[in-house]
Amino acid sequence: MAPGCLCGFRPGVGGAHARGGALTRHPSHSMFPHGGWVCGLSRRLLTPGGRALPAGAAQGVRRPLSSAPHAPQICIVGSGPAGFYTAQHLLKHHPQARVDIYEKLPVPFGLVRFGVAPDHPEVKSYGAEEKRELGIPGEELPGVYSARDFVGWYNGLPDNRHLCPDLSSDTAVILGQGNVAVDIARILLSPLELLRRTDVTRTALDSLTHSRVRRVWLVGRRGPLQVAFTIKELREMLHLPGTRPRLDPSDFQGLEDITKDLPRPRKRLTELLVKSALREPGEKDAAHWAQAERQWGLRFLRSPQAVLSSEDGGRAAGVRLSVTRLEGAGEAAVAFPTGRVEDIPCGLIFSSIGYRSLPISPALPFLARQGVIANSMGRVQESPGLYCSGWVKRGPTGVITTTMADSFDTAQAVLEDINSGVLSCSDPRAGAAAVRDLLLLRGVRPVSFSDWEKIDAAETARGVAVGKPREKILDPEEMLRLVRP
């Protein structure tokens, strides 16, 4: 899953706060509430991986830019990959630009810090603020969790630090077949010695140590040709130590004949699924699977209908699935109920059916059904000087490379508007100074980049002490005490 950022331009100051988007705009009273904190990053920019941008990143203009007496000052709200990639492109192609990035948390980097899985530091990815509801009876029962909350919990997102998921069931069902669903399955089934070497939170590691989960089903309403996870994620699951796959051969009959006509990424993924389900495993895999104490499997053509409760009604005890059929082919295939149902007993259920961005301000044109800001190539409709990038621009689709290309496109739209004169740099603007004055007026003390470096150093030191790359601080107030003795 990929992030979003809201970025806006009116040479100078920035506007509204968002997760799942980046924005550049004129001053807005909605940006900072009374009290609280703001993490501000400027001058020294880093890539989403946490490294400083190379010295040449601010050189080499792709197309000539109109000269202006005042350099453009750009505010980006949201310090996830969409925000940083947008900033990177702007600085690379307009050396005179000044970019300030604002974040609502005391720590930067968004999904890079709070993303999909601690054992995938190179691809951590999610970014919209709100999870999608299942809309079925029983989803409020204890034992039912959203993928977003669970991912935030084991990655140390402050909002999710009190989740305390109950992992006492031997069977877990994940409703969804995307990369986030596979990440959750892998975290639930991974040997502890592997997780101990990651930056998974201490709280999560303690809970996983006592977990009784031994079987995980990933459920999708469509078929093998529509799974949303990538081949890399599948390979890791197939070779996860101490774990074996359970794939029903009948789900894959006939797919060998049509793989040659599929796009290359889908072709390779389908070939691996078919090989794993229909062919005898090699000697190494056979020996590995024979000794496995845990298992995972894919269930296709199943749509959640209801969460079943325990006899006392106190918690989830299973999930009822509607058996579906497909009409159409490929990505356009649509699932329809057949009238048949199937129950899976389980005490742990995750909803991994996607995320939604939230409206940022009543003044912005927000399309609630799609969960995006109305825009054209990143230009927010009816809001000159305001741009968006990431999931708040295109919806919750794609991976980190999708976000990178998307952010570059938005940044290029800003540059084109500067070059064409749509955005004027002829008048001086207060820029970041106006934001500092606004923060002072509202009693908000910002967390600077140097402050973040103190938090970073403390987390790194705590991690080294226990043999991990980092031990994240979960409580924002504890973070602030480190920078405000």
Side-chain angles (χ1 to χ4, degrees), residues 143 145 150 153 160 162-168 203-204 207 348 350:
Y145 305 93
F150 189 70
W153 171 73
N160 300 127
H162 301 305
L163 187 67
C164 298
D166 184 349
L167 306 181
S168 62
T203 301
S207 293
L348 184 60
F350 297 96

Side-chain angles (χ1 to χ4, degrees), residues 112-148:
V112 174
R113 179 180 171 93
F114 302 119
V116 171
D119 58 344
H120 279 194
E122 76 285 3
V123 295
K124 288 186 173 187
S125 182
Y126 84 81
E129 180 76 13
E130 187 174 67
K131 65 262 187 181
R132 286 182 173 168
E133 302 292 340
L134 289 169
I136 61 175
E139 68 175 309
E140 76 289 345
L141 287 169
V144 182
Y145 305 93
S146 77
R148 184 192 183 283

Side-chain angles (χ1 to χ4, degrees), residues 219-282:
V219 177
R221 71 184 188 282
R222 299 194 292 174
L225 293 178
Q226 290 82 35
V227 294
F229 52 74
T230 59
I231 192 170
K232 179 181 184 295
E233 303 281 334
L234 176 60
R235 281 202 192 98
E236 285 188 303
M237 288 302 295
L238 291 172
H239 300 294
L240 190 63
T243 306
R244 67 164 300 167
R246 293 288 186 184
L247 303 176
D248 187 343
S250 65
D251 288 329
F252 302 91
Q253 297 291 345
L255 293 187
E256 287 180 298
D257 300 331
I258 65 173
T259 54
K260 64 180 184 298
D261 298 322
L262 298 174
R264 187 173 184 273
R266 176 67 66 180
K267 178 176 183 286
R268 295 175 62 236
L269 175 61
T270 305
E271 286 175 341
L272 183 56
L273 281 168
V274 170
K275 176 183 177 181
S276 303
L278 299 182
R279 301 176 191 174
E280 290 296 323

Side-chain angles (χ1 to χ4, degrees), residues 87-105:
Q88 180 185 25
H89 191 86
L90 289 168
L91 292 174
K92 180 178 181 180
H93 296 286
H94 198 311
Q96 291 78 38
R98 165 66 182 263
V99 178
D100 294 287
I101 302 178
Y102 293 91
E103 165 66 43
K104 75 170 183 178
L105 291 173

Side-chain angles (χ1 to χ4, degrees), residues 36-82:
W37 57 82
V38 172
C39 179
L41 309 176
S42 62
R43 295 188 180 88
R44 180 183 178 190
L45 284 174
L46 286 81
T47 66
R51 297 171 301 194
L53 291 179
Q59 301 175 3
V61 179
R62 179 159 61 181
R63 60 182 71 178
L65 294 165
S66 60
S67 60
H70 300 284
Q73 300 186 62
I74 301 168
C75 171
I76 294 179
V77 181
S79 68

Side-chain angles (χ1 to χ4, degrees), residues 18-40:
R19 298 237 1 208
L23 170 72
T24 315
R25 61 174 300 174
H26 57 81
S28 166
H29 66 273
S30 64
M31 182 173 179
F32 305 110
H34 292 281
W37 57 82
V38 172
C39 179

Side-chain angles (χ1 to χ4, degrees), residues 6-15 22-27 68 70-77 90 94 97-99 378 380 383-388 410-411 413-415 417-419 421-427 429:
L6 185 67
C7 52
F9 176 102
R10 288 250 176 107
V13 291
L23 170 72
T24 315
R25 61 174 300 174
H26 57 81
H70 300 284
Q73 300 186 62
I74 301 168
C75 171
I76 294 179
V77 181
L90 289 168
H94 198 311
R98 165 66 182 263
V99 178
V380 177
S383 300
L386 187 61
Y387 303 80
C388 57
T410 293
V414 176
L415 295 172
D417 289 350
I418 294 173
N419 188 44
V422 170
L423 297 175
S424 173
C425 298
S426 60
D427 298 323
R429 305 297 176 98

